[in-house]
Amino acid sequence: MTALALPAYAQLSDADEAALADLYRRGTPANTLRAWERDLAYIAAWKMASFGQPLAWPEDEKVALRFILDHAQDLSDKTGPAQDVAMELIAIGLRMALTCPAPATLDRRIASWQAFHRMRNLPSPFSAPLVQQTRQKARRANARPRMPKSPKPITRDILEALLATCDASHRGIRDRAMLMLAFASGGRRRSEITALNVENIALNDFATKGLVWIRLLETKTTKKDQAPRLPMKGRAARALVHWLEVTKITDGPLFRPVSLSDRPLPRRLATDALRTILRYRLQLAGFPVDFATPHGLRAGFLTQAALDGAPLAAAMKLSLHRSAVQAQKYYADVEISENPVTNLLGD
């Protein structure tokens, strides 16, 4: 199926692109930039379809209010301007359905809209009291149960089953090292794993302490000038060192594609490679391919830390969560009967 070309008003203008490059692009993670651009395309198309006008800076409060109202209802069984606009957005591929978008989706698009106001040093219409109240009521009216980013956390027992499928081929050695690093270094995101270079791995303490240090140049919560150093030891450290030894890789991308003839290639893995690898290993281990996503490694690290009785603060040192409330959710998901504090007096 051929992708539909977006109309001009649903694309970044030259002025928008210049503003992004000058003020935000160098200091914002690439994934966030892509999300902003997609959201701006959606918002621009929505306003043109709704008002017949391009975006204004600053935007009018009535436009912000209408945006919230249009996205706070299920349009499947309604008629009128809001449904007509939604149908137009569906036709150009910017909206998936007439059903009410998730509150998180609406919040993200509003946050992107606000970010473009900030980069122009302009007040946001979403700061107006009436608009804020409407947004809060819309969020409550359409609240949904919290859905995990991965159907299941990949805890230690599941990870062991995946590792058991990794043989002595280059592909097997790479997959073992990737999965163990992603879990043992604090539940790393897939983009963080594929962005690693050999230069980010310090082996100075491996011979004497069995310790490997990993420097993450940029994460979702840290910037290059904050690059954290994370320790990794034991089996995970040995698996990573084994990958470097058998491939004789000394610089450049740490993890690389492996050819059909089992030869590591010189280029970097795609950002989404960990998802493909995980699905393949899940299938080999006898799990459904949709049993878990790469985020399951991050969820699994925190869940296993809770099951093992590790303090939340200690787990956050590795996971790099900024919010204790967010990290605590993984601890709260652990079945209370499995909580180690239920057996403080022993058997």
Side-chain angles (χ1 to χ4, degrees):
M1 182 176 179
T2 304
L4 293 171
L6 296 180
Y9 59 75
Q11 299 177 19
L12 289 178
S13 67
D14 291 343
D16 290 331
E17 189 68 38
L20 265 176
D22 184 44
L23 296 175
Y24 275 71
R25 191 172 297 279
R26 287 174 295 175
T28 304
N31 288 345
T32 302
L33 285 173
R34 284 192 290 270
W36 280 351
E37 291 173 353
R38 288 194 302 269
D39 290 340
L40 186 67
Y42 180 91
I43 294 163
W46 171 85
K47 187 182 178 187
M48 181 61 71
S50 299
F51 294 89
Q53 299 172 355
L55 291 176
W57 306 100
E59 192 54 84
D60 193 278
E61 289 178 18
K62 70 178 182 180
V63 174
L65 191 61
R66 172 81 175 275
F67 184 78
I68 294 172
L69 294 174
D70 279 6
H71 293 83
Q73 55 185 321
D74 188 337
L75 301 173
S76 302
D77 57 354
K78 297 181 183 294
T79 58
Q83 191 195 64
D84 294 340
V85 171
M87 291 294 291
E88 183 172 333
L89 295 176
I90 290 172
I92 61 176
L94 287 175
R95 181 165 176 159
M96 298 298 293
L98 291 173
T99 52
C100 182
T105 301
L106 178 59
D107 283 345
R108 193 201 67 237
R109 286 174 176 155
I110 290 175
S112 298
W113 207 341
Q114 290 175 309
F116 278 89
H117 277 82
R118 286 196 303 272
M119 74 171 59
R120 291 167 171 79
N121 198 28
L122 295 172
S124 166
F126 292 97
S127 299
L130 178 60
V131 177
Q132 286 186 329
Q133 291 173 11
T134 304
R135 183 181 177 189
Q136 291 171 359
K137 291 183 181 297
R139 189 184 296 116
R140 290 172 187 158
N142 297 297
R144 303 177 185 181
R146 182 174 67 90
M147 298 298 292
K149 294 181 180 178
S150 176
K152 298 284 186 181
I154 300 176
T155 47
R156 186 188 296 118
D157 56 340
I158 298 170
L159 180 61
E160 293 289 6
L162 301 181
L163 297 177
T165 70
C166 299
D167 57 20
S169 66
H170 281 124
R171 188 182 304 275
I173 295 169
R174 179 202 64 188
D175 291 0
R176 181 183 296 109
M178 281 187 70
L179 291 171
M180 294 187 84
L181 187 151
F183 182 94
S185 64
R188 301 272 56 86
R189 300 175 180 89
R190 63 177 187 263
S191 59
E192 295 168 359
I193 296 296
T194 54
L196 283 171
N197 290 323
V198 177
E199 293 82 357
N200 306 140
I201 307 299
L203 303 178
N204 302 15
D205 294 330
F206 181 72
T208 57
K209 301 178 182 178
L211 186 64
V212 169
W213 290 94
I214 302 166
R215 182 174 291 278
L216 297 176
L217 291 186
E218 191 165 1
T219 74
K220 188 176 179 180
T221 56
T222 61
K223 304 301 180 188
K224 290 181 180 179
D225 59 349
Q226 303 167 323
R229 292 178 72 234
L230 301 175
M232 192 171 70
K233 59 179 69 173
R235 294 168 56 203
R238 293 194 295 273
L240 179 60
V241 171
H242 185 50
W243 163 249
L244 292 173
E245 289 176 345
V246 298
T247 58
K248 297 181 172 55
I249 296 173
T250 58
D251 56 25
L254 177 62
F255 295 117
R256 308 175 180 204
V258 175
S259 69
L260 293 176
S261 60
D262 201 40
R263 180 173 59 87
L265 301 176
R267 65 176 184 271
R268 188 180 303 280
L269 281 170
T271 305
D272 205 39
L274 185 56
R275 182 184 298 276
T276 303
I277 290 169
L278 180 59
R279 289 172 66 90
Y280 174 68
R281 294 297 166 187
L282 283 168
Q283 192 170 24
L284 287 182
F287 296 98
V289 293
D290 58 353
F291 179 85
T293 67
H295 192 271
L297 291 161
R298 186 166 176 79
F301 168 80
L302 286 164
T303 301
Q304 192 65 57
L307 289 169
D308 290 354
L312 177 62
M316 289 176 61
K317 286 281 190 180
L318 282 184
S319 70
L320 301 179
H321 274 89
R322 288 186 298 186
S323 168
V325 174
Q326 182 68 29
Q328 176 64 40
K329 291 178 181 178
Y330 297 99
Y331 273 54
D333 285 343
V334 173
E335 289 289 340
I336 193 167
S337 62
E338 300 295 329
N339 192 313
V341 300
T342 62
N343 195 32
L344 292 180
L345 294 178
D347 297 328

